[in-house]
Amino acid sequence: MRYLPLTEADRREMLSVIGAKSVDELFRDVPASARLAAKVGGLPDHQGELEVERAFQGFAARNLSPASTPFFIGAGAYRHHVPATVDYMIQRGEFLTSYTPYQPEITQGTLQYLFEFQTQVTLLTGMEVANASMYDGSTGTAEAVLMANRITRRHKALISGGLHPQYRSIIETTAKWEGFTATLSKTDAEGLEELIAAVDRDTSCVVVQNPSFFGHVRDFTKLAEACHAAGALLIVVVTEVVSLGLLMPPGEMGADIVVCEGQSIGNGLGFGGPYVGLFATRDKYMRQMPGRLVGETVDADGKRGFVLTLSTREQHIRREKATSNICTNAGLCALAFTVHLTLLGEAGFTRLAEINHAKASQLADKIAAIPGVTVVNDSFFNEFTVKLPKPAAEVVEALAAKRILGGLPVSRLIPNDPSVANLLLLAATETATDAGMDPLVAALKEVL
């Protein structure tokens, strides 16, 4: 969007139309004690378009771009190569302008790609039914807990210590205002936690992540069996959806609900969004699923068509009856996901996952050879945790000064736990190269 400044004449004209004498009069309902008496320090006065462009170019130049520097940050948002075809397709007018289908059966193209999206999600997760996307993986996880509470009519969720800290935080916030209990297990940096003993007859669900926030890969089959024996549900979260190209699908482990962050397919990092949440479940729980569900049918002439089968959101029914109050299905991001995955195909997706694991294994071997550094994981996909001989936050800052984005200090997301101060989370996707890994290893040796 271009910068469009207002002149004094423009302001006077607008004020005269609404009957105000000055801009200050617009704020007369705000108590004087709540208003600033002077300008905010450091902010410049208004400038021309050219000056504003130069100022923001200066801000942008201070960023370290993943495209121009060694980059090994993951922690729920991953840098993958997105083919140019994806961006071209989603910007075609018939896709870009037909967003949320409020008159759904008229927008057959939109419904068809959402149907294909749902099909892809069920195949990836090993589940029976998927919805037409959620806002993102983190809020989708909170919605999954609410769904489990409705199904079991219980109000205690057991949250793994390997779940992404921000996902845990969103569940905590939801629990506070929705009136259920979120029991948080202690941080599981080693990937050794056993939750079976904690499942009881009051538990509505157990929420785990695979690979975990710390990169550990687990088989939750026995945990699923324990949950079902106690009448609880198992929710499996996947923040790196590319991992499903190699790992056992959550559905094969016995998961009842699967929530994924789909950003890795078709969607760039983009300073935190927008992303797309994948949500799948068992057929028997379909009517308790949040969001919307697109179905396939035939019209009066027997021709193939698509319909909005379920849409239990607050726009369409009474608010108190809605299974979700999230007001978007991230449709354009879902389309990008579908286009990218279609371009890859099954063999291409598996190959992409293999390359990711190979790159991470290569990096882990290089890092493990550094004196004083220990790789915590016995198993991982494309992300793993290392223990450093000094606080990881200091190390990351020192690496950034050398123009290397060398992972995420766990203490940034878990700030009040001294046990994680020296832990560093590193991710290597198909975009990682020797030309990036070697400078990281050399710089680590210097700063440790």
Side-chain angles (χ1 to χ4, degrees):
M1 183 178 292
R2 304 297 289 171
Y3 173 68
L4 301 174
L6 295 175
T7 65
E8 281 299 325
D10 293 330
R11 293 189 181 91
R12 286 196 299 270
E13 182 179 356
M14 289 189 291
L15 289 171
S16 66
V17 169
I18 63 177
K21 296 179 180 179
S22 67
V23 173
D24 290 339
E25 190 174 330
L26 299 177
F27 299 94
R28 63 188 178 189
D29 293 328
V30 179
S33 60
R35 303 181 208 170
L36 293 176
K39 296 179 181 179
V40 177
L43 291 181
D45 289 330
H46 66 276
Q47 297 175 334
E49 182 175 352
L50 179 58
E51 288 76 19
V52 171
E53 285 183 358
R54 287 172 176 167
F56 277 92
Q57 287 168 356
F59 294 144
R62 293 161 57 183
N63 292 325
L64 278 181
S65 170
S68 61
T69 192
F71 183 87
F72 300 96
I73 301 174
Y78 301 91
R79 181 175 180 242
H80 291 282
H81 172 67
V82 179
T85 303
V86 174
D87 194 47
Y88 168 76
M89 289 299 295
I90 68 173
Q91 290 192 64
R92 287 179 61 94
E94 60 267 41
F95 286 132
L96 192 62
T97 58
S98 58
Y99 184 49
T100 301
Y102 287 105
Q103 292 178 304
E105 281 63 49
I106 295 176
T107 56
Q108 283 293 294
T110 299
L111 291 181
Q112 181 172 355
Y113 85 68
L114 289 175
F115 180 83
E116 302 294 348
F117 169 83
Q118 293 171 177
T119 304
Q120 290 173 330
V121 173
T122 57
L123 291 173
L124 289 176
T125 59
M127 301 300 283
E128 295 165 352
V129 61
N131 71 12
S133 89
M134 300 295 289
Y135 183 71
D136 61 14
S138 58
T139 52
T141 300
E143 292 273 359
V145 174
L146 292 174
M147 175 177 164
N149 291 348
R150 291 192 298 271
I151 292 170
T152 63
R153 298 185 181 181
R154 300 175 183 177
H155 304 283
K156 187 179 80 171
L158 179 59
I159 314 301
S160 167
L163 181 64
H164 194 295
Q166 292 174 335
Y167 286 47
R168 285 163 59 105
S169 178
I170 289 176
I171 293 174
E172 280 189 281
T173 301
T174 305
K176 176 180 179 180
W177 299 109
E178 291 289 339
F180 67 88
T181 301
T183 303
L184 305 178
S185 301
K186 67 177 183 179
T187 300
D188 182 35
E190 293 78 21
L192 300 175
E193 74 175 358
E194 292 295 339
L195 299 173
I196 291 177
V199 181
D200 58 29
R201 292 292 175 179
D202 295 323
T203 304
S204 68
C205 61
V206 178
V207 184
V208 295
Q209 180 176 321
N210 193 49
S212 76
F213 171 71
F214 298 95
H216 303 288
V217 176
R218 302 284 297 272
D219 181 354
F220 292 110
T221 302
K222 291 184 178 179
L223 177 59
E225 293 171 353
C227 288
H228 299 157
L233 304 186
L234 177 64
I235 299 172
V236 177
V237 176
V238 180
T239 61
E240 171 51 296
V241 71
V242 174
S243 67
L244 295 177
L246 281 182
L247 302 183
M248 179 190 297
E252 291 187 17
M253 299 181 192
D256 298 287
I257 305 173
V258 180
V259 183
C260 309
E261 173 52 66
Q263 170 269 322
S264 290
I265 303 296
N267 293 273
L269 289 173
F271 288 93
Y275 292 158
V276 54
L278 318 183
F279 196 106
T281 188
R282 300 292 177 189
D283 183 72
K284 61 184 176 180
Y285 302 134
M286 178 171 55
R287 289 192 173 275
Q288 288 296 333
M289 183 172 59
R292 55 180 54 176
L293 180 68
V294 177
E296 183 181 22
T297 186
V298 293
D299 64 13
D301 298 322
K303 295 180 180 179
R304 184 188 189 211
F306 301 90
V307 293
L308 197 57
T309 304
L310 289 175
S311 187
T312 52
R313 303 196 309 168
E314 84 288 356
Q315 299 106 311
H316 304 284
I317 65 172
R318 289 173 297 173
R319 188 176 186 87
E320 67 275 11
K321 296 292 185 180
T323 58
S324 171
N325 287 311
I326 288 182
C327 296
T328 181
N329 68 334
L332 202 61
C333 297
L335 174 61
F337 178 98
T338 296
V339 172
H340 190 180
L341 194 55
T342 301
L343 290 170
L344 286 169
E346 184 175 352
F349 185 61
T350 300
R351 179 58 180 153
L352 175 63
E354 291 172 344
I355 294 172
N356 271 250
H357 180 60
K359 292 287 188 179
S361 297
Q362 181 184 359
L363 179 62
D365 290 342
K366 291 176 179 289
I367 296 293
I370 301 175
V373 178
T374 304
V375 175
V376 175
N377 303 66
D378 291 328
S379 63
F380 56 85
F381 172 61
N382 67 358
E383 189 168 25
F384 55 89
T385 303
V386 298
K387 188 172 184 180
L388 306 176
K390 60 191 297 186
E394 299 176 12
V395 173
V396 167
E397 291 299 325
L399 292 174
K402 296 177 178 291
R403 300 192 66 80
I404 297 173
L405 296 173
L408 180 94
V410 174
S411 59
R412 182 172 297 171
L413 296 184
I414 309 178
N416 300 315
D417 187 346
S419 68
V420 304
N422 290 16
L423 298 183
L424 177 66
L425 201 59
L426 290 164
T429 70
E430 77 280 3
T431 63
T433 63
D434 290 342
M437 294 184 194
D438 292 340
L440 170 65
V441 172
L444 275 173
K445 291 177 178 178
E446 288 182 24
V447 302
L448 290 176

